[in-house]
Amino acid sequence: MGRLFVVNLEGKIYSCTYCRTHLALCEDVVSKAFQSRHGKAYLFNKVVNVTVGEKEERHMLTGMHTVADIFCVGCGSVVGWKYETAHEKSQKYKEGKSVLERFKLFGPNGNHFWVGHGPHGAHVAGSDADEA
């Protein structure tokens, strides 16, 4: 295994909830209107400090896509997924972009959304309005 180099971003950043490794800049957010199994998710033009898992076909809300889970290089947690191929013409804009799940992010203003460990995995959160 090679040496691990972690990129430290400057400015308003999103980082991993678990280890605070930098993942993305606010300016790289394409959309905050995405959904994951656990709630809100954001689409980014560029993310850093992640490794990409195996490609797989997934049926999502917008159709069939080839995606790969992405993992934080700091702690190994799955933090989202990367769109490799969109099978619908209207979804091609997603190709090469990554989605980070909101509850796995520490926001640029110190905001933290997380999924509780209770029986229902309740969302404990504030508002995204501060991060616009």
Side-chain angles (χ1 to χ4, degrees), residues 34 65-67 81-85 94-97 99:
F34 278 65
H65 295 83
T66 304
V67 299
W81 64 90
K82 180 178 181 180
Y83 284 103
E84 299 290 343
T85 308
K94 296 177 184 176
E95 292 182 347
K97 294 178 177 55
V99 172

Side-chain angles (χ1 to χ4, degrees), residues 17 102-105 111-115 124-128 131:
T17 291
R102 182 63 184 102
F103 84 96
K104 295 186 178 182
L105 298 177
N111 297 335
H112 178 222
F113 290 38
W114 59 278
V115 176
V124 178
S127 170
D128 285 336
E131 299 174 29

Side-chain angles (χ1 to χ4, degrees), residues 39-89:
K40 288 185 174 193
Y42 298 167
L43 181 68
F44 288 85
N45 273 321
K46 179 182 175 186
V47 296
V48 296
N49 300 323
V50 296
T51 56
V52 181
E54 295 291 318
K55 294 178 187 179
E56 65 179 57
E57 297 293 318
R58 259 187 225 163
H59 184 74
M60 303 178 113
L61 293 174
T62 55
M64 189 62 71
H65 295 83
T66 304
V67 299
D69 285 337
I70 52 177
F71 304 85
C72 173
V73 297
C75 64
S77 298
V78 175
V79 290
W81 64 90
K82 180 178 181 180
Y83 284 103
E84 299 290 343
T85 308
H87 299 288
E88 302 281 332
K89 188 176 180 182

